[in-house]
Amino acid sequence: MSIATYESAGYLNKQKKEKENVVVNDEDEEDEDLVMYSLEDVEAWDEFRVVRGLEGVDMGHYSVGARDMCRLVAFLLAFSNYLPHESVDLYIQSHVGTPRDFERYFARAIDVLRTMNPNITMETLDEHKISYGQFKPALDVTFPYLFGSLGRVFDQFLYATKDKKDSSALTEHVNSKLLHGPQMAQLCALLGHDQVYGKLMRLYMGSEMGYSMRSFESKVFKWAAPTLVIVSGTVVSPESDHSAMRKAFDQLIPPTRMLKGKKLTEGGLFRPGTRVVFGAVVDNPWKVSNKEAFGDGGCLLFQLSPMQDVYPPSRIKKNYAYFCNVSPGGVGFGSPPPKTVGSRTTYRCDNVSLTLEESFEYGTFRHLGGGGSFHQSMVHPQAEYEARFAITGLEVWGYGGKDDLDEQKKKWEWEEREAQYRQNVNIGNYEDNRALLEMAGLVGNHASSGGSV
């Protein structure tokens, strides 16, 4: 409220008439139809009218310019990993960098603003305002921990200057193309500080370990704790991508034709070339699930770009996640595994689902309403769209620490030893086993019909 513009009912009515090209007599309007608060206008915080008495305030009259809101969100994202006892100057040097680096946080703040208003772009920031009706639902659902950093920044005033420490020595820097500083900050706003920083261990990174189901399985399976999956891509269309792989993907998973409601794509939100980032939290250990999906109510599906949104698990269906290694298979969230009958494979992508084909070349995200394993967006429940994208990055991170990573390694080593042992046993006993079968007359060129009892 302290940075908002107050627009009275008379002022809003005046704006409406101006849009309708109705002549308005300015003399009839009250002077306080539009009130902008400024810190320079008052000497004390309690001189703000909204602070003196909050009861009975109609929040529908308040709005914040999109650019001002974007600056605020970018600041909150940049300080998402700040701790009260750290030096602000050293934190900025080690986490934010130069003003040009801060632009990356500003770009992620645009994604957060699009949750409130999907029509906002970097070029149209000055043309839009964020109303309280747009701000409050998005804050409650899609970035409930956004303002946590603001509290930690204010807490730093409780510490003496001599007690401030270098944050670079206290914070683990993640070497990742997807979970870089601004992206981690977005996750922090969605999941909470304690669920992101210092909690994640790298399991699989497609850019280093190869984009294949086998590589995915060898790095992710046998991790006993929950995992975080992040996938990025670029929206494609038949006109912009004529590759054989793309045509095969369209035949395997045809584009949906069931768009009926409010389409976010009409505003260009998912136009070709748009960067998209989706993710999922999987609460159960990964396993091969060619016939039936796995997971429980602790799973979560979300989107970080081009807008931030979250899709909670439902109890209607339980197709939370699958890993299908029967070609053509893949990895999916919110849908049952693909079903093959004879030579025909059918992908049954559900209403709210994320599907990655087995080569990790292409993926699709669908938001077509409720009734699936994940609820539709609570901020834009009527929106219907499909984002088909070429995958540019895929990573899996495990919740836990080095002990969990060592435990996973031990499980793989044990399985490899068991497989080698079984192989050696079979080879070593081959001659003995054959001699026994020959004595029984079951193998070899014997005229007799075998022994008798």
Side-chain angles (χ1 to χ4, degrees):
M1 293 174 68
S2 63
I3 66 172
T5 299
Y6 175 82
E7 300 172 350
S8 70
Y11 180 78
L12 295 174
N13 186 50
K14 176 183 175 181
Q15 283 190 318
K16 181 179 179 182
K17 289 181 179 180
E18 288 179 347
K19 290 181 180 180
E20 296 173 353
N21 296 323
V22 177
V23 178
V24 180
N25 185 3
D26 294 335
E27 297 179 358
D28 296 336
E29 300 297 333
E30 298 181 2
D31 293 337
E32 292 190 357
D33 280 344
L34 179 63
V35 180
M36 297 186 67
Y37 299 105
S38 173
L39 289 175
E40 290 78 12
D41 299 334
V42 294
E43 296 180 357
W45 175 255
D46 58 6
E47 289 187 20
F48 279 113
R49 186 176 65 183
V50 294
V51 176
R52 289 200 303 266
L54 296 177
E55 292 185 6
V57 175
D58 184 2
M59 294 303 300
H61 294 311
Y62 289 88
S63 63
V64 177
R67 185 172 293 276
D68 290 337
M69 179 66 78
C70 195
R71 288 169 177 161
L72 174 61
V73 172
F75 166 80
L76 295 173
L77 292 177
F79 278 84
S80 63
N81 197 24
Y82 177 79
L83 299 177
H85 56 271
E86 297 175 317
S87 164
V88 173
D89 290 338
L90 293 175
Y91 178 88
I92 293 174
Q93 293 175 19
S94 60
H95 288 73
V96 182
T98 65
R100 186 171 182 179
D101 293 330
F102 182 74
E103 294 177 1
R104 298 192 303 160
Y105 287 94
F106 199 84
R108 300 288 70 80
I110 293 286
D111 293 338
V112 174
L113 258 66
R114 288 199 189 101
T115 309
M116 311 175 206
N117 184 349
N119 296 318
I120 289 178
T121 65
M122 188 74 77
E123 294 75 22
T124 62
L125 270 177
D126 296 322
E127 302 174 11
H128 295 279
K129 294 181 179 180
I130 301 298
S131 68
Y132 184 77
Q134 294 172 320
F135 170 77
K136 185 63 163 62
L139 175 69
D140 290 344
V141 176
T142 62
F143 36 89
Y145 301 97
L146 178 66
F147 281 86
S149 55
L150 187 61
R152 291 190 291 274
V153 170
F154 273 90
D155 283 346
Q156 63 96 13
F157 295 122
L158 300 175
Y159 294 83
T161 304
K162 60 186 174 103
D163 295 331
K164 302 293 178 62
K165 298 180 180 180
D166 183 358
S167 61
S168 61
L170 301 172
T171 306
E172 178 185 358
H173 291 268
V174 177
N175 182 20
S176 165
K177 292 184 177 180
L178 296 184
L179 288 191
H180 46 70
Q183 208 81 81
M184 290 279 282
Q186 270 192 275
L187 273 178
C188 178
L190 170 64
L191 303 176
H193 181 276
D194 294 340
Q195 295 298 315
V196 176
Y197 294 107
K199 291 280 188 177
L200 299 174
M201 298 292 294
R202 186 177 69 171
L203 300 181
Y204 168 78
M205 188 174 293
S207 59
E208 294 183 3
M209 304 167 186
Y211 291 96
S212 70
M213 295 282 286
R214 176 56 187 160
S215 180
F216 185 103
E217 180 180 355
S218 65
K219 299 298 182 181
V220 178
F221 278 43
K222 303 191 185 307
W223 180 264
T227 52
L228 173 70
V229 182
I230 301 288
V231 57
S232 65
T234 303
V235 175
V236 295
S237 67
E239 294 76 18
S240 62
D241 188 348
H242 303 281
S243 65
M245 286 293 298
R246 170 60 198 274
K247 293 179 181 178
F249 176 66
D250 286 345
Q251 293 178 355
L252 204 61
I253 309 177
T256 182
R257 303 182 184 277
M258 298 176 61
L259 302 178
K260 299 178 182 178
K262 178 183 175 184
K263 302 177 183 178
L264 292 178
T265 49
E266 290 178 349
L269 195 60
F270 292 97
R271 62 183 180 274
T274 300
R275 174 181 179 269
V276 295
V277 179
F278 299 100
V281 175
V282 181
D283 203 34
N284 305 79
W286 283 79
K287 62 181 180 180
V288 175
S289 47
N290 296 333
K291 295 184 178 180
E292 186 177 22
F294 65 93
D296 57 28
C299 297
L300 185 72
L301 193 60
F302 60 86
Q303 175 184 175
L304 296 180
S305 187
M307 68 176 182
Q308 185 160 323
D309 215 334
V310 61
Y311 315 97
S314 76
R315 301 293 181 179
I316 300 175
K317 297 179 182 179
K318 297 183 179 180
N319 299 312
Y320 299 115
Y322 70 77
F323 180 92
C324 181
N325 61 2
V326 177
S327 184
V331 175
F333 308 91
S335 300
K339 185 178 181 180
T340 301
V341 178
S343 60
R344 180 178 176 82
T345 299
T346 304
Y347 279 80
R348 298 163 288 175
C349 300
D350 221 326
N351 285 353
V352 178
S353 60
L354 174 65
T355 306
L356 312 178
E357 51 88 21
E358 63 180 351
S359 66
F360 294 151
E361 290 277 349
Y362 292 95
T364 179
F365 178 82
R366 290 183 176 180
H367 185 274
L368 305 177
S373 301
F374 292 99
H375 290 293
Q376 72 268 44
S377 168
M378 298 180 68
V379 182
H380 305 286
Q382 303 302 321
E384 295 187 356
Y385 59 92
E386 179 182 23
R388 300 173 70 81
F389 55 93
I391 296 174
T392 57
L394 177 62
E395 297 178 5
V396 182
W397 295 77
Y399 282 95
K402 190 176 183 302
D403 292 341
D404 299 284
L405 204 61
D406 293 339
E407 183 64 24
Q408 182 198 34
K409 183 179 179 180
K410 290 178 182 179
K411 290 180 180 179
W412 274 115
E413 291 175 347
W414 180 87
E415 184 163 305
E416 290 174 359
R417 286 197 302 269
E418 286 295 304
Q420 186 67 34
Y421 173 75
R422 288 192 297 268
Q423 183 179 6
N424 292 338
V425 167
N426 291 336
I427 294 176
N429 293 343
Y430 175 78
E431 295 297 333
D432 294 339
N433 293 338
R434 182 173 180 82
L436 289 173
L437 293 175
E438 286 182 347
M439 291 176 61
L442 298 178
V443 298
N445 296 323
H446 297 283
S448 64
S449 59
S452 61
V453 179

